[in-house]
Amino acid sequence: MWSVIITHLPDWKVCAQAILSLIIALVLYYLNKYFRSLVEKKNAPAQKARKGEQPADQSNLSDDYEENLHAIKQAISSNSDIHFREFQVAELHARATLIYVDGMQNEEMISKYVMKILMEDVKQDRADRSLLLNPLEFSSYFQNKVLPICETYEAAELHGLNQSILIGFTALLIEGMPHALLIGSSGMKTRAINEPSSEALLRGPRIGFTEVLSENTSMLRRQGYSEDLEINMYEVGTRIKRKLVIAYMKEIVNPDLLQEVRDRVGKINMDFIAESGYVEQLIEDDYLSPFQQAHNTERPDRVITGLLEGRIAILLDGTPFALIVPVTFSMLLQSPEDYYDRWLPGTLLRMLRFFAAFLALLAPALYISFISFHPGLIPTELAVTIIETRQGVPFPSLIEVLILEISIEILREAGIRLPKPIGPAMGIVGGLIIGEAAVQAGIVSPFLVIVVAVTAISSFSIPVYSAGITLRILRFAGMLCAAVLGMFGTILFILFICGHLSKLKSFGVPYVTPISPFRLNDWKDLFLRAPLPFMNKRPDMMKTQDKKRR
């Protein structure tokens, strides 16, 4: 009996491969858990310290004009781009000083609406003269009666005043006034509003975000009138501060999701947040995952569409890329153009993208599996053709694929870094020349050139560039698995990705929903794009307050 049982057991090599696969999976799981605990322990003291930290200088301005001016000069006058312009206020016969950063102000506006008005005599009625007798009323008098400027604030604390000057406000000190006035007079040069270069469409709006936060928030407002759209302002960065905005629809968004986003943004503890990519990395659920957990976009229409689904947008000053959270895998293969066209073309294009993503990820791995391990699965005529084209190639299939794939990746990167008129031409011509030369030299087979070319073109069809990078990274891992274990390794690689995706979450939302967990209503906008009359409910996965679209 035992001899019969033994004959039905798999070969010891298969058992070893299965055990090795299990060990690798367990090792990766515990390494991930260990590194996450280390990062949490490391960040805990910094977060506690950040909650209790206070600015070094919290002193208030006094009634002494000379003392205030001296304190400000002592704090920030070492910066050569800060200007102090002293003059006389005619109606008070008092000294005054304007303090501003060169290049960040509209100097014409300051000269015309501040200095010119204050340096000339102004006719006053008795009520105005009574206000001037009380120093505590100075600032309100100048804000309400003298300066025709929309944005003015009182500043009584020295540290806050210095910070405001450095971020672009003009400070006005007047002798006898116990407060300073902050005047909003931004005059920085900005980039014109253009079409997003990373998300081009044939049909749709031609505007994209810029590097100025106020312009970006105004673009969201200009998408259409809505009292539900709320925009909350935050400051991020400990050494160099920048403004950050959280935008959402208050009658739609899940309050728990909103609180989670606010908590994660509040825990950001870094000297300087240079770009929204920093924010994305600091607030994501799993930093070890190759898949992005926030969707970056330059398109205001895409942001508004996300907000209407119950998602939240994060915008940072100084970058045209906004973040949309939470994100699912299907979002990365969707384009706004799917909804601007009729549902049949939109569905066809979306299904093509899913197929292209499959090719971009697995085409080289399948080639290696079939050529090196399972040639019997290839149709006979095709197998004979491939064998003929591979005659004289000195390298195994893995090295052959790596040569071409790495060459394509180098050409792609070089095309991005070169000047725009040269980049596209260099990429196309370089690819043709290298492919043809490699075939003529007998380094690679012509059939492989076709496979690599189809793979590269498929990766370009993914609407989100960063999602394409993820597939390009995983493509190399799939190739190594295929080279070691053949089709078994490729299937194991697919199962590993599926297992990781089923566990991954973005702000509490499963990454592969509505596939897992299964949500039938959300399948209307997954592989197919249902007609708009049928898409009358918001995604169930978002757990919105208002379920119906109007």
Side-chain angles (χ1 to χ4, degrees):
M1 182 182 68
W2 291 107
S3 59
V4 175
I5 294 174
I6 291 174
T7 57
H8 286 83
L9 291 177
D11 187 65
W12 68 271
K13 294 181 180 179
V14 177
C15 296
Q17 290 174 354
I19 295 172
L20 181 62
S21 303
L22 178 63
I23 292 173
I24 291 173
L26 290 174
V27 169
L28 291 176
Y29 172 76
Y30 284 107
L31 281 176
N32 179 20
K33 190 174 179 180
Y34 174 72
F35 285 123
R36 287 179 68 88
S37 63
L38 285 181
V39 171
E40 289 174 359
K41 290 179 182 178
K42 183 179 179 181
N43 290 340
Q47 292 171 6
K48 290 181 180 178
R50 184 170 177 264
K51 290 181 180 178
E53 68 182 1
Q54 296 292 335
D57 186 1
Q58 286 285 6
S59 60
N60 293 329
L61 297 175
S62 66
D63 295 336
D64 191 330
Y65 169 80
E66 291 287 352
E67 182 181 340
N68 294 336
L69 187 59
H70 175 71
I72 296 172
K73 286 184 176 180
Q74 190 174 16
I76 60 175
S77 65
S78 58
N79 299 285
S80 58
D81 59 339
I82 294 181
H83 291 195
F84 293 81
R85 174 66 166 89
E86 299 188 27
F87 61 97
Q88 291 283 332
V89 180
E91 56 185 317
L92 294 178
H93 302 289
R95 293 174 294 171
T97 301
L98 282 172
I99 309 167
Y100 59 93
V101 177
D102 186 25
M104 298 183 71
Q105 302 301 323
N106 186 337
E107 294 190 7
E108 182 181 355
M109 172 183 158
I110 293 295
S111 301
K112 184 177 180 180
Y113 296 110
V114 179
M115 292 188 62
K116 184 178 180 181
I117 291 176
L118 294 180
M119 294 174 72
E120 294 178 351
D121 287 320
V122 180
K123 294 182 179 179
Q124 309 165 13
D125 55 25
R126 294 182 179 179
D128 292 342
R129 283 196 293 271
S130 65
L131 286 174
L132 291 176
L133 295 176
N134 184 3
L136 296 178
E137 300 292 340
F138 276 10
S139 59
S140 62
Y141 168 73
F142 283 107
Q143 290 182 82
N144 301 327
K145 297 283 187 177
V146 177
L147 301 178
I149 296 175
C150 295
E151 194 177 6
T152 57
Y153 309 98
E154 291 183 1
E157 191 265 311
L158 183 60
H159 178 77
L161 175 66
N162 293 338
Q163 277 193 333
S164 299
I165 294 170
L166 293 173
I167 65 174
F169 282 90
T170 298
L172 174 62
L173 285 179
I174 300 177
E175 187 176 12
M177 185 170 69
H179 304 292
L181 278 182
L182 290 173
I183 302 169
S185 55
S186 176
M188 293 182 289
K189 301 294 183 182
T190 59
R191 178 171 62 89
I193 298 175
N194 297 316
E195 182 178 0
S197 58
S198 62
E199 296 175 274
L201 297 181
L202 292 177
R203 181 176 182 177
R206 292 289 191 263
I207 63 171
F209 289 130
T210 67
E211 287 75 16
V212 182
L213 184 60
S214 58
E215 289 185 3
N216 296 341
T217 55
S218 67
M219 286 185 208
L220 294 182
R221 295 287 187 190
R222 288 201 297 267
Q223 293 295 311
Y225 171 74
S226 174
E227 294 181 353
D228 288 345
L229 177 58
E230 286 202 350
I231 293 177
N232 300 153
M233 188 79 69
Y234 296 83
E235 278 191 350
V236 291
T238 54
R239 294 287 181 182
I240 301 177
K241 296 187 181 296
R242 266 192 167 172
K243 292 181 180 179
L244 179 144
V245 153
I246 294 177
Y248 57 92
M249 291 290 183
K250 64 179 179 181
E251 299 295 334
I252 298 176
V253 70
N254 183 350
D256 295 334
L257 172 62
L258 178 60
Q259 188 59 45
E260 179 67 21
V261 173
R262 286 173 171 170
D263 291 343
R264 295 194 190 186
V265 169
K267 291 178 182 178
I268 292 177
N269 184 24
M270 201 169 187
D271 286 345
F272 175 54
I273 308 299
E275 212 270 340
S276 59
Y278 281 55
V279 180
E280 178 181 356
Q281 297 172 67
L282 292 171
I283 67 174
E284 63 185 358
D285 290 64
D286 187 356
Y287 64 91
L288 292 177
S289 174
F291 295 92
Q292 63 185 91
Q293 293 137 62
H295 182 198
N296 58 81
T297 180
E298 293 182 81
R299 302 192 64 87
D301 57 328
R302 193 157 199 169
V303 171
I304 286 294
T305 303
L307 299 187
L308 290 172
E309 290 181 345
R311 305 182 196 276
I312 296 174
I314 301 173
L315 295 87
L316 181 70
D317 192 22
T319 175
F321 286 92
L323 302 178
I324 303 175
V325 295
V327 67
T328 59
F329 182 75
S330 60
M331 280 181 61
L332 305 178
L333 299 177
Q334 296 173 0
S335 170
E337 209 166 13
D338 296 349
Y339 305 93
Y340 301 151
D341 283 324
R342 298 182 67 251
W343 72 278
L344 282 173
T347 297
L348 174 62
L349 293 175
R350 184 174 295 182
M351 294 179 70
L352 281 174
R353 288 192 212 105
F354 275 94
F355 181 66
F358 174 81
L359 290 179
L361 177 64
L362 293 175
L366 292 175
Y367 173 82
I368 294 173
S369 299
F370 286 130
I371 294 300
S372 301
F373 291 86
H374 312 286
L377 297 178
I378 307 174
T380 305
E381 295 182 358
L382 179 60
V384 171
T385 303
I386 295 174
I387 292 171
E388 289 178 354
T389 59
R390 281 185 54 80
Q391 288 181 354
V393 176
F395 303 113
S397 58
L398 174 63
I399 303 300
E400 185 185 10
V401 174
L402 283 176
I403 290 173
L404 270 189
E405 283 288 348
I406 293 174
S407 301
I408 291 294
E409 293 298 328
I410 293 173
L411 280 173
R412 192 197 311 246
E413 187 67 16
I416 294 174
R417 308 303 166 198
L418 285 172
K420 288 184 178 180
I422 307 174
M426 184 269 181
I428 296 171
V429 175
L432 291 173
I433 292 174
I434 289 179
E436 182 66 23
V439 171
Q440 294 294 332
I443 299 176
V444 298
S445 66
F447 188 80
L448 176 62
V449 174
I450 297 174
V451 172
V452 172
V454 170
T455 303
I457 294 171
S458 298
S459 64
F460 283 125
S461 67
I462 298 173
V464 182
Y465 179 74
S466 50
I469 295 178
T470 299
L471 295 183
R472 286 155 55 189
I473 295 171
L474 293 175
R475 183 194 307 157
F476 286 94
M479 289 158 50
L480 294 176
C481 291
V484 175
L485 301 174
M487 185 58 71
F488 176 75
T490 304
I491 295 173
L492 187 67
F493 171 69
I494 296 172
L495 293 176
F496 179 78
I497 291 179
C498 291
H500 172 69
L501 289 177
S502 63
K503 182 184 175 183
L504 186 63
K505 291 185 178 181
S506 174
F507 289 84
V509 176
Y511 203 71
V512 289
T513 187
I515 299 174
S516 175
F518 180 77
R519 299 181 188 274
L520 181 60
N521 179 61
D522 294 347
W523 276 69
K524 298 176 184 178
D525 196 24
L526 183 59
F527 301 109
L528 306 178
R529 204 279 279 172
L532 290 181
F534 289 92
M535 298 174 65
N536 54 2
K537 290 186 179 180
R538 305 186 201 281
D540 290 339
M541 70 183 99
M542 299 307 303
K543 300 178 181 178
T544 55
Q545 301 178 64
D546 185 1
K547 302 291 184 182
K548 293 184 178 180
R549 299 179 191 261
R550 298 185 181 130

